Amino acid sequence: MSDPSSAVATPSSDQRLAKGARSRASIARHAADVASVEGLNGVTIGRLATDLGISKSGIATLFGSKESLQLAAVKAGREVFVAQIITPSLSEPRGLPRVRALVDRWFAHVTEPVFPGGCFRTAALTEFDSKPGPVRDALAADHDAWLTFLTKEIRKAQDQGALTGLDPDALAFELDAVISAANTARQLGEDTKVAMAQSIVARLLAS
């Protein structure tokens, strides 16, 4: 009969697991930084090993494959987006104030980017939109979840009498398209087009 205590994690094993989780998170975040500039195809075990001064075998042990590393980068990018845009906006009252907060923080994410290459989501979606597979599926699911959330917040604003006469799904799509275009303009150094995008969004939310 096996010893029941053998199934209980020891303090040393807990520490190893915690260290491994921290290492994974740190590597995944750097992978997202690299991907924002060079694309997810630029995320390789060899590249990250060189950047971070870690052995290839160490990274391979944590992630197993380039695809797993890319998926971890997508997850890291999503976590940053949620932390920078969604979570702080939830403290705003439901309705138009929250929609405006989401959009304002979204623009800040573009104009004062956390990632060196600008908005991770925009760059990754453009790169993988025509490449079937798990990475594309993860990006598409993340994008769909964001638009679904934004659409629900627009509907809540409409329930309170704001943004009336507009199709919530179409408005969310328009906001996404304009702010994604603003990210491209910002990366190209076209500040006047970023300002133009902000004016377009202001008009959309003034309806």
Side-chain angles (χ1 to χ4, degrees):
M1 181 174 177
S2 61
D3 181 0
S5 64
S6 64
V8 179
T10 65
S12 60
S13 65
D14 285 345
Q15 289 172 0
R16 286 195 298 271
L17 288 172
K19 183 179 179 180
R22 288 194 299 270
S23 296
R24 277 185 61 89
S26 176
I27 293 168
R29 175 54 198 274
H30 184 69
D33 284 341
V34 171
S36 73
V37 177
E38 300 182 17
L40 279 165
N41 279 324
V43 175
T44 65
I45 291 175
R47 165 65 190 274
L48 296 190
T50 300
D51 286 355
L52 300 173
I54 302 172
S55 68
K56 289 183 180 180
S57 61
I59 295 179
T61 297
L62 289 170
F63 294 96
S65 67
K66 177 179 177 178
E67 183 175 85
S68 294
L69 190 54
Q70 291 173 327
L71 289 169
V74 172
K75 182 175 183 288
R78 178 174 63 250
E79 288 172 349
V80 169
F81 190 88
V82 170
Q84 292 285 318
I85 299 170
I86 297 177
T87 299
S89 297
L90 295 178
S91 63
E92 298 293 334
R94 286 182 174 179
L96 188 57
R98 185 176 293 178
V99 173
R100 290 190 183 281
L102 286 165
V103 170
D104 287 345
R105 288 188 171 91
W106 195 2
F107 255 117
H109 187 68
V110 166
T111 58
E112 300 173 15
V114 176
F115 294 106
C119 179
F120 173 87
R121 170 183 277 116
T122 301
L125 277 170
T126 301
E127 180 186 8
F128 270 80
D129 57 3
S130 59
K131 299 177 181 178
V135 177
R136 179 183 181 275
D137 291 346
L139 289 166
D142 177 48
H143 188 235
D144 182 66
W146 163 238
L147 289 182
T148 297
F149 171 79
L150 185 58
T151 299
K152 287 180 179 178
E153 294 301 323
I154 291 169
R155 286 198 176 98
K156 291 174 185 176
Q158 290 181 326
D159 290 342
Q160 297 178 8
L163 305 175
T164 56
L166 299 174
D167 181 328
D169 292 286
L171 178 55
F173 180 83
E174 288 172 319
L175 291 170
D176 182 65
V178 173
I179 298 177
S180 293
N183 178 73
T184 300
R186 195 268 180 190
Q187 293 305 113
L188 292 173
E190 298 175 338
D191 292 340
T192 56
K193 291 184 179 178
V194 174
M196 187 185 303
Q198 290 173 315
S199 296
I200 292 170
V201 167
R203 288 200 300 273
L204 288 171
L205 296 184
S207 300

